[in-house]
Amino acid sequence: MWRILAVSGEDRVEFLQGLVTNKVGPAPCWAALLTPQGKYLADFLIVPDGERLLIDVDARLADDLTRRLSMYKLRSKVTLEPTDIAVARGTGPAPGGAIIDPRHPALGWRLYGASGDDGTDWDAIRVEHCIPESMIELIPNETFILEAGFERLHGVDFRKGCYVGQEVTARMKHKTELRKGLVTVGIEGAAPLGTPILMADGREAGTLFTQSGARAIAYMRFDRMGDGLSAGDARILP
């Protein structure tokens, strides 16, 4: 479930622009709020709606996100408030007024002010395209967004100005090579969410997350990928 927050006031664009990972403009975008140390706190869609911006966020993250954004308001001319706006989503022809999900075309459309779901197997889409979800692959105070695929999924802009956690994120982009991250793997069998992925010698290689059919999203150490991996009773395949 999602909650829609509304940010209004003449400073609304500049306010969010200085805090989140993506450029806030006239088109919907996906972005995150980070800690000063560059770790994920929340991800959300930012959707222009007349004289306000809608923040489409996982309901479990909404209260903490509201609290944190309110801390940054200071003298900014903005108002942040919850709404009762519902969200419908689907992958067929988009109804009038819907937006296309900016993360990936396979995620279809979202329509604000309506409710419902067309029955799409969202986990299958996320696994196929390695798209992380709030509170599953994206873990507050743990995840680094570049390891979670934010660049590939249009969730971070390296040309915009400063934002919270920008220095660490830029350093990971330009000065280091990622050694860990989310990938789609094959799986034989099943294991609970969060099961450690082990090498044949017992060393930990990663963590298993969303599963769909014979594939799954896993957080892996790239140098430990290969044959002989297991997660509980399941086999992990390249």
Side-chain angles (χ1 to χ4, degrees), residues 11-68:
D11 294 340
R12 63 189 181 278
V13 173
E14 292 79 6
F15 170 68
L16 288 179
Q17 181 83 335
L19 296 175
V20 306
T21 59
N22 213 343
K23 182 177 180 179
V24 181
C29 71
W30 184 49
L33 181 69
L34 309 180
T35 69
Q37 295 76 33
K39 293 186 176 182
Y40 163 93
L41 288 171
D43 67 295
F44 36 83
L45 300 181
I46 301 175
V47 182
D49 180 49
E51 296 299 310
R52 62 183 182 174
L53 297 169
L54 303 181
I55 298 180
D56 180 351
V57 62
D58 187 296
R60 294 166 293 180
L61 296 170
D63 288 343
D64 185 64
L65 178 61
T66 300
R67 180 181 65 82
R68 292 179 183 276

Side-chain angles (χ1 to χ4, degrees), residues 155-202:
V156 58
D157 187 337
F158 292 102
R159 296 170 296 181
K160 62 165 286 185
C162 293
Y163 55 88
V164 179
Q166 183 264 346
E167 184 177 352
V168 174
T169 305
R171 189 183 308 125
M172 290 183 70
K173 163 69 173 175
H174 298 295
K175 296 186 178 181
T176 64
E177 181 177 351
L178 293 180
R179 295 180 293 177
K180 297 179 288 186
L182 295 178
V183 295
T184 296
V185 297
I187 186 170
E188 290 183 354
L193 193 75
T195 299
I197 297 173
L198 304 178
M199 302 176 68
D201 61 7

Side-chain angles (χ1 to χ4, degrees), residues 111-208:
L111 178 64
Y112 299 96
S115 60
D117 190 299
D118 68 354
T120 292
D121 186 340
W122 300 103
D123 280 350
I125 289 175
R126 292 200 308 102
V127 169
E128 179 180 358
H129 300 286
C130 199
I131 300 170
E133 184 166 310
S134 312
M135 306 298 285
I136 301 179
E137 292 84 13
L138 297 172
I139 305 170
N141 293 297
E142 291 189 20
T143 299
F144 287 104
I145 62 168
L146 296 191
E147 294 182 345
F150 266 65
E151 183 176 10
R152 173 176 56 87
L153 296 169
H154 319 295
V156 58
D157 187 337
F158 292 102
R159 296 170 296 181
K160 62 165 286 185
C162 293
Y163 55 88
V164 179
Q166 183 264 346
E167 184 177 352
V168 174
T169 305
R171 189 183 308 125
M172 290 183 70
K173 163 69 173 175
H174 298 295
K175 296 186 178 181
T176 64
E177 181 177 351
L178 293 180
R179 295 180 293 177
K180 297 179 288 186
L182 295 178
V183 295
T184 296
V185 297
I187 186 170
E188 290 183 354
L193 193 75
T195 299
I197 297 173
L198 304 178
M199 302 176 68
D201 61 7
R203 288 183 295 165
E204 191 164 324
T207 305
L208 182 67

